[in-house]
Coordinates of all heavy atoms in Angstrom, one line a residue:
V18 N 0.8 -1.2 0.0 CA 0.0 0.0 0.0 C 0.8 1.3 0.0 O 0.5 2.2 -0.6 CB -1.0 0.0 1.2 CG1 -1.9 1.2 1.1 CG2 -1.8 -1.2 1.3
A19 N 2.0 1.3 0.7 CA 2.9 2.4 0.8 C 3.4 2.6 -0.7 O 3.4 3.8 -1.2 CB 4.1 2.1 1.8
A20 N 3.9 1.5 -1.4 CA 4.5 1.7 -2.7 C 3.4 2.1 -3.7 O 3.6 3.1 -4.5 CB 5.1 0.4 -3.1
M21 N 2.2 1.6 -3.6 CA 1.1 1.9 -4.5 C 0.5 3.3 -4.2 O 0.2 4.1 -5.2 CB 0.0 1.0 -4.5 CG 0.5 -0.5 -4.9 SD 1.3 -0.5 -6.4 CE 0.0 -0.5 -7.6
G22 N 0.6 3.7 -3.0 CA 0.2 5.1 -2.7 C 1.1 6.2 -3.3 O 0.6 7.2 -3.8
A23 N 2.4 6.0 -3.2 CA 3.4 6.9 -3.7 C 3.3 6.8 -5.2 O 3.4 7.9 -5.9 CB 4.8 6.4 -3.3
L24 N 3.1 5.6 -5.8 CA 3.0 5.5 -7.3 C 1.8 6.2 -7.8 O 1.8 6.9 -8.8 CB 2.9 4.0 -7.7 CG 3.1 3.7 -9.2 CD1 4.5 4.0 -9.6 CD2 2.7 2.2 -9.4
A25 N 0.7 6.2 -7.1 CA -0.5 6.8 -7.4 C -0.4 8.3 -7.5 O -0.9 8.9 -8.5 CB -1.7 6.4 -6.5
R26 N 0.2 8.9 -6.6 CA 0.4 10.3 -6.5 C 1.3 10.8 -7.6 O 1.1 11.8 -8.3 CB 1.1 10.6 -5.2 CG 0.0 10.7 -4.1 CD 0.7 10.8 -2.7 NE -0.4 11.2 -1.7 CZ -1.4 10.4 -1.3 NH1 -1.4 9.1 -1.7 NH2 -2.2 10.8 -0.4
V27 N 2.4 10.0 -8.0 CA 3.2 10.4 -9.1 C 2.4 10.4 -10.4 O 2.4 11.2 -11.2 CB 4.4 9.5 -9.2 CG1 5.3 9.7 -10.5 CG2 5.4 9.7 -8.1
Y28 N 1.7 9.3 -10.6 CA 0.8 9.0 -11.8 C -0.2 10.2 -12.0 O -0.4 10.7 -13.1 CB 0.3 7.7 -11.8 CG -0.6 7.4 -13.0 CD1 -0.1 7.2 -14.3 CD2 -2.1 7.3 -12.8 CE1 -0.9 6.9 -15.3 CE2 -2.9 7.1 -13.9 CZ -2.4 7.0 -15.2 OH -3.2 6.7 -16.2
L29 N -1.0 10.4 -10.9 CA -2.1 11.4 -10.9 C -1.5 12.8 -11.2 O -2.1 13.6 -12.0 CB -2.9 11.3 -9.7 CG -3.7 10.0 -9.6 CD1 -4.4 10.0 -8.2 CD2 -4.7 9.8 -10.7
S30 N -0.3 13.1 -10.7 CA 0.3 14.4 -10.9 C 0.6 14.5 -12.4 O 0.4 15.5 -12.9 CB 1.6 14.5 -10.0 OG 2.2 15.7 -10.3
W31 N 1.1 13.5 -12.9 CA 1.4 13.5 -14.4 C 0.1 13.7 -15.2 O 0.0 14.5 -16.2 CB 2.1 12.3 -14.8 CG 2.4 12.1 -16.3 CD1 3.4 12.8 -17.0 CD2 1.7 11.2 -17.1 NE1 3.3 12.3 -18.3 CE2 2.2 11.4 -18.4 CE3 0.7 10.3 -17.0 CZ2 1.8 10.6 -19.5 CZ3 0.2 9.6 -18.1 CH2 0.8 9.7 -19.3
Q32 N -1.0 13.0 -14.8 CA -2.2 13.0 -15.5 C -2.7 14.4 -15.5 O -3.4 14.9 -16.4 CB -3.2 11.9 -15.0 CG -3.0 10.5 -15.5 CD -3.5 10.4 -16.8 OE1 -4.0 11.3 -17.6 NE2 -3.5 9.1 -17.3
R33 N -2.6 15.0 -14.4 CA -3.1 16.5 -14.2 C -2.3 17.5 -14.9 O -2.7 18.7 -14.9 CB -3.4 16.8 -12.8 CG -4.5 16.0 -12.1 CD -4.8 16.6 -10.7 NE -3.6 16.4 -9.8 CZ -3.6 15.3 -8.9 NH1 -4.7 14.5 -9.0 NH2 -2.7 15.2 -8.1
G34 N -1.2 17.0 -15.6 CA -0.3 18.0 -16.3 C 0.5 18.8 -15.3 O 1.2 19.8 -15.8
E35 N 0.7 18.4 -14.1 CA 1.6 19.2 -13.2 C 3.0 18.8 -13.5 O 3.5 17.7 -13.6 CB 1.3 18.7 -11.7 CG -0.1 19.1 -11.2 CD -0.5 18.6 -10.0 OE1 0.4 17.9 -9.4 OE2 -1.6 18.7 -9.5
D36 N 3.8 19.9 -13.7 CA 5.3 19.6 -14.0 C 6.0 20.6 -13.1 O 6.6 21.6 -13.7 CB 5.4 19.9 -15.5 CG 6.8 19.5 -16.0 OD1 7.5 18.7 -15.2 OD2 7.2 20.0 -17.1
P37 N 6.2 20.2 -12.0 CA 6.9 21.1 -11.0 C 8.4 21.2 -11.3 O 9.1 20.2 -12.0 CB 6.8 20.4 -9.6 CG 6.5 19.0 -9.9 CD 5.8 19.0 -11.2
E38 N 9.0 22.3 -11.1 CA 10.4 22.5 -11.5 C 11.4 21.7 -10.7 O 12.3 21.1 -11.2 CB 10.8 24.1 -11.3 CG 12.2 24.3 -11.7 CD 12.4 25.8 -11.5 OE1 11.6 26.6 -11.4 OE2 13.6 26.2 -11.6
H39 N 11.1 21.4 -9.4 CA 11.7 20.5 -8.6 C 10.8 19.4 -8.0 O 10.2 19.6 -7.0 CB 12.4 21.3 -7.4 CG 13.3 22.4 -7.9 ND1 14.6 22.1 -8.5 CD2 13.2 23.7 -7.9 CE1 15.3 23.2 -8.8 NE2 14.4 24.2 -8.5
P40 N 10.6 18.4 -8.8 CA 9.8 17.3 -8.2 C 10.2 16.8 -6.8 O 11.4 16.8 -6.5 CB 10.0 16.2 -9.3 CG 10.5 16.8 -10.5 CD 11.4 18.0 -10.0
P41 N 9.1 16.5 -5.9 CA 9.5 16.1 -4.6 C 10.1 14.8 -4.6 O 10.0 13.9 -5.4 CB 8.1 16.1 -3.9 CG 7.2 15.8 -5.0 CD 7.7 16.6 -6.2
W42 N 11.1 14.7 -3.5 CA 11.7 13.4 -3.4 C 11.0 12.5 -2.4 O 11.2 11.3 -2.3 CB 13.1 13.6 -2.6 CG 14.3 14.1 -3.6 CD1 14.5 15.3 -3.9 CD2 15.0 13.2 -4.3 NE1 15.6 15.3 -4.9 CE2 15.9 14.1 -5.1 CE3 15.3 11.8 -4.3 CZ2 16.9 13.5 -5.8 CZ3 16.2 11.4 -5.1 CH2 17.0 12.1 -5.9
T43 N 9.9 13.0 -1.8 CA 9.1 12.2 -0.8 C 8.5 11.0 -1.3 O 8.6 9.9 -0.9 CB 8.0 13.2 -0.2 OG1 8.6 14.3 0.4 CG2 7.3 12.3 1.0
W44 N 7.9 11.1 -2.5 CA 7.1 10.0 -3.0 C 8.1 9.0 -3.6 O 7.9 7.7 -3.3 CB 6.1 10.4 -4.2 CG 5.1 11.4 -3.7 CD1 4.6 11.6 -2.4 CD2 4.4 12.4 -4.6 NE1 3.7 12.4 -2.4 CE2 3.5 13.0 -3.6 CE3 4.4 12.8 -5.9 CZ2 2.6 14.0 -4.1 CZ3 3.5 13.8 -6.2 CH2 2.7 14.3 -5.5
P45 N 9.2 9.3 -4.3 CA 10.2 8.3 -4.7 C 10.8 7.6 -3.5 O 11.1 6.4 -3.5 CB 11.2 9.1 -5.5 CG 10.5 10.3 -6.0 CD 9.4 10.6 -4.9
A46 N 11.1 8.4 -2.4 CA 11.7 7.8 -1.2 C 10.7 6.6 -0.6 O 11.2 5.6 -0.3 CB 12.0 8.8 -0.2
I47 N 9.4 7.0 -0.5 CA 8.5 6.1 0.1 C 8.4 4.9 -0.9 O 8.4 3.7 -0.3 CB 7.0 6.8 0.3 CG1 7.2 7.9 1.3 CG2 6.1 5.7 0.6 CD1 5.9 8.7 1.4

């Protein structure tokens, strides 16, 4: 669940077209 929760946030961020200049390290770390 931890891995899939982090994966979901990365995927949905991409789907919404969010392209932050400095992507957070939190989700990859989790």
